[in-house]
Amino acid sequence: MTSNPLTLTITARQDAPGDIMCLTLADPDGAPLPPVTAGAHIDIAIGDQWRQYSLAGDPADRSQWTLGILKDPESRGGSTALHAGARPGQTVTVTGPRNHFALVEADRSCLFGGGIGITPMLAMAHELAARGAAFDLHYCTRSAGRTAFLDLLGAAPFAGHTRLHHDDDATKLTLAALPAPAPGTHIYICGPEGFMDWLIAAAEAMGHAPDHIHREYFSAEVDVTGETFEVEARETGITVTVGAEESIVTALARAGISVDVKCEEGICGTCLTDVLEGLPDHRDHFLTDEEKEDNSEMCLCCSRAKSAKLVLDI
């Protein structure tokens, strides 16, 4: 991962169906971009906000990065600002890439992308095709008229692996598309929260091992409210009370302790912190179920405490 910010140039913009904007980014001097693996994302500075977007292009192509960005009227303003202002020739500040959604070695990989959730799946399909691996790509949209990336899909080396599903016709995705459980089969899911929860629950009910069901949330509804509790920042020796209507991050900020936060929805892992004592109330979508059971780390932007006090390694 590149920790220092990069300044990249927008070399192309294409407005696609479904309120999706495809941006191409490149180094202004033509230098190779940092290496990436399929499933990676970058953080883009939008004013004083940072927002995460998956890389959708061929991971082997270091000359450019491709993003698909949904104009979401319910977002906190990042995507709408980019749709309104992003133009070829402009520069953007990015950090990354980071990858919490990487492919694992498998006999068969099944990729499910709902709407804008197709973006990391496109990179995965490129990588799997280059390996000569066995895989299927299922791309689900509301209708054929709201389906982006069709030109890319038609010309891609993985075109024969792709299945399109539209909610308003006979191609609508059904649970029959899920593969039978097998030791070497892995499933990857990305898209709207309801779409993901539906597929994850079905795959688990079929008998797929939890660690064979990989997921990445682009956004999620989080409830940070609850009973008050104390948080001790061990390194500073400061203890704060987290109120019923505030996050741990907000409470720490009142005491002068800054925590790096980007998504504020428990999906990016930027605020992941070691827990030294106490029992977290995990409300994020970043940690796996096994990691949550371990209780050694937690996301401070949205999670709370089940115990009266937490001691954090900050």
Side-chain angles (χ1 to χ4, degrees):
M1 167 188 156
T2 300
S3 56
N4 295 324
L6 300 172
T7 299
L8 302 181
T9 300
I10 300 173
T11 59
R13 168 178 174 158
Q14 178 183 359
D15 292 299
D19 291 326
I20 291 175
M21 172 180 66
C22 302
L23 288 185
T24 304
L25 308 180
D27 184 273
D29 299 319
L33 295 173
V36 301
T37 53
H41 71 270
I42 58 174
D43 302 302
I44 297 183
I46 308 170
D48 59 356
Q49 309 175 80
W50 287 90
R51 294 294 178 260
Q52 297 74 43
Y53 298 103
S54 293
L55 299 175
D58 183 353
D61 183 1
R62 295 181 60 186
S63 67
Q64 61 183 25
W65 284 341
T66 302
L67 307 174
I69 300 172
L70 172 68
K71 184 178 181 180
D72 184 355
E74 298 183 4
S75 77
R76 290 167 294 147
S79 67
T80 53
L82 279 177
H83 271 259
R87 298 289 184 272
Q90 294 179 339
T91 59
V92 292
T93 300
V94 310
T95 60
R98 296 186 292 164
N99 198 341
H100 308 302
F101 193 44
L103 289 166
V104 300
E105 291 295 329
D107 295 332
R108 181 185 178 194
S109 300
C110 295
L111 317 177
F112 292 87
I116 195 61
I118 190 64
T119 50
M121 305 303 177
L122 296 174
M124 288 181 173
H126 271 293
E127 191 166 304
L128 290 166
R131 294 182 193 174
F135 73 97
D136 303 299
L137 170 61
H138 296 271
Y139 178 19
C140 309
T141 66
R142 292 183 179 180
S143 67
R146 294 183 61 81
T147 303
F149 303 108
L150 286 177
D151 53 344
L152 184 153
L153 288 167
F158 52 82
H161 296 263
T162 303
R163 303 291 180 270
L164 297 178
H165 303 276
H166 309 306
D167 289 347
D168 63 351
D169 64 30
T171 66
K172 183 177 181 177
L173 183 74
T174 69
L175 296 179
L178 285 168
T185 296
H186 284 254
I187 299 172
Y188 299 82
I189 304 170
C190 187
E193 187 173 359
F195 167 84
M196 294 182 62
D197 291 345
W198 172 62
L199 283 175
I200 291 167
E204 289 177 343
M206 288 176 65
H208 285 276
D211 62 352
H212 284 207
I213 306 171
H214 310 273
R215 75 287 309 264
E216 182 173 64
Y217 287 86
F218 278 161
S219 64
E221 294 291 333
V222 290
D223 177 11
V224 302
T225 63
E227 297 295 323
T228 61
F229 59 96
E230 290 190 333
V231 168
E232 177 188 333
R234 177 60 56 85
E235 290 185 9
T236 63
I238 294 174
T239 298
V240 300
T241 298
V242 181
E245 302 288 333
E246 66 180 350
S247 69
I248 295 175
V249 170
T250 301
L252 289 171
R254 283 194 284 100
I257 301 173
S258 177
V259 176
D260 190 12
V261 175
K262 288 186 176 176
C263 75
E264 302 176 66
E265 297 178 329
I267 58 176
C268 75
T270 300
C271 62
L272 192 67
T273 302
D274 289 339
V275 178
L276 302 178
E277 297 176 24
L279 186 62
D281 178 6
H282 297 286
R283 302 187 182 186
D284 65 279
H285 291 279
F286 177 77
L287 294 170
T288 65
D289 290 341
E290 292 78 9
E291 289 168 334
K292 290 178 180 179
E293 289 176 5
D294 186 56
N295 286 318
S296 61
E297 297 177 300
M298 66 183 300
C299 292
L300 303 189
C301 68
C302 62
S303 295
R304 298 185 66 82
K306 293 181 179 178
S307 54
K309 183 177 180 179
L310 294 173
V311 180
L312 305 177
D313 189 19
I314 53 176

